[in-house]
Amino acid sequence: MIQKDKLAKLKAELIHTKKEIEERFNENDHYQLERENPYNSVGELSAYDNHPGDLGTELYEREKDIALNEHTEKELADINHALQAMENGTYGKCEVCGKDIDEERLEAIPSTTYCKEHSPNQIVSHNRPVEEGVLMPAFGKFEFDDEEAVTFDSEDTWQIVSEYGTSESPSDLDNRGVDHYNDVYVESGENEGYVEDFENFIGTDMYGKEIKVYNNDQHEKYEQQLDEEGIMTSFGDLPGYEKDPYTEEALEEDK
């Protein structure tokens, strides 16, 4: 059972905290919630003639004030409940099991009337904000995302849009060895809508035959890179002018 001197000290602390909260409510009008509309603070007569974004800050501050007010009112209600328990002679005992509450817990939370095992605040919520279902990366929930397909998919869309800026900055990402601002982002050099560079100037029929080369700037750049490396393809080690097949599939076909 809690000692009388300890009880008197906790009671004085609760009364002092209660007085501070009540004075705070009187000074700020319950976090200015007594005002009819949030735009009164900015001198606007109405919000109808303004863009919704113009009052975005005021809306955010209003929501924050509501949360702070609810939290403080809950704190005041707990203090009054604890003071009433002192008057009834039940303070220091858990309302659920009736066991004595540890003095260390009462010193840390004088307004509590529950032991640690039966505290109503011990349940941790695992619910995630509904906004996460919308703000998650676009790729991973659309057509072709789970399939091996050469097509313009949602990931390509995100890469194009991110070129115009995101909420991140180069300082937030790994920019070691990067020479240009646009090369900082993840997979910034990945081709959009195709896999290999030669797909920009190579065409076939629907059966993969009748190969045709279309001369364009990408084709000239590709040929120049191959000549500099002295190879015939960018995805193999076949030396220049080598005619023998160098893949297992080609060897099987020749047999």
Side-chain angles (χ1 to χ4, degrees), residues 186-220:
V186 178
E187 298 181 348
S188 59
E190 183 176 341
N191 297 324
E192 300 169 359
Y194 58 93
V195 178
E196 302 295 343
D197 294 336
F198 60 80
E199 294 178 6
N200 274 308
F201 49 84
I202 295 293
T204 65
D205 58 14
M206 61 183 301
Y207 302 105
K209 301 179 180 180
E210 301 295 334
I211 300 176
K212 185 177 181 180
V213 179
Y214 299 89
N215 292 321
N216 54 26
D217 294 339
Q218 188 69 26
H219 177 233
E220 294 180 0

Side-chain angles (χ1 to χ4, degrees), residues 152-198:
F152 187 88
D153 57 11
S154 53
E155 184 176 0
D156 295 322
T157 304
W158 163 250
Q159 291 171 353
I160 292 177
V161 174
S162 64
E163 292 178 358
Y164 295 90
T166 66
S167 59
E168 299 173 320
S169 67
S171 61
D172 300 324
L173 306 172
D174 186 4
N175 56 4
R176 291 172 295 181
V178 177
D179 298 327
H180 195 275
Y181 178 92
N182 294 332
D183 298 334
V184 175
Y185 299 96
V186 178
E187 298 181 348
S188 59
E190 183 176 341
N191 297 324
E192 300 169 359
Y194 58 93
V195 178
E196 302 295 343
D197 294 336
F198 60 80

Side-chain angles (χ1 to χ4, degrees), residues 25-123:
F25 277 153
N26 292 330
E27 292 175 358
N28 59 23
D29 295 330
H30 281 255
Y31 294 92
Q32 299 182 351
L33 294 181
E34 300 297 332
R35 297 183 179 184
E36 182 178 359
N37 293 301
Y39 47 80
N40 288 344
S41 61
V42 294
E44 296 288 347
L45 298 178
S46 173
Y48 290 107
D49 59 342
N50 294 311
H51 189 277
D54 295 340
L55 294 176
T57 301
E58 285 70 26
L59 177 60
Y60 164 75
E61 293 294 337
R62 187 74 164 187
E63 293 173 340
K64 184 176 68 175
D65 291 339
I66 292 174
L68 291 173
N69 184 70
E70 291 181 353
H71 175 79
T72 309
E73 286 184 344
K74 176 64 168 57
E75 183 180 3
L76 180 59
D78 290 342
I79 291 175
N80 289 330
H81 186 68
L83 291 174
Q84 185 61 44
M86 290 181 178
E87 295 295 331
N88 298 336
T90 59
Y91 183 80
K93 292 185 179 295
C94 178
E95 292 187 8
V96 177
C97 62
K99 296 181 179 180
D100 291 339
I101 303 174
D102 294 336
E103 289 190 8
E104 292 81 1
R105 176 172 173 80
L106 292 175
E107 291 176 357
I109 315 175
S111 60
T112 186
T113 54
Y114 298 92
C115 64
K116 180 180 178 181
E117 289 73 16
H118 297 99
S119 172
N121 297 325
Q122 64 182 344
I123 300 177

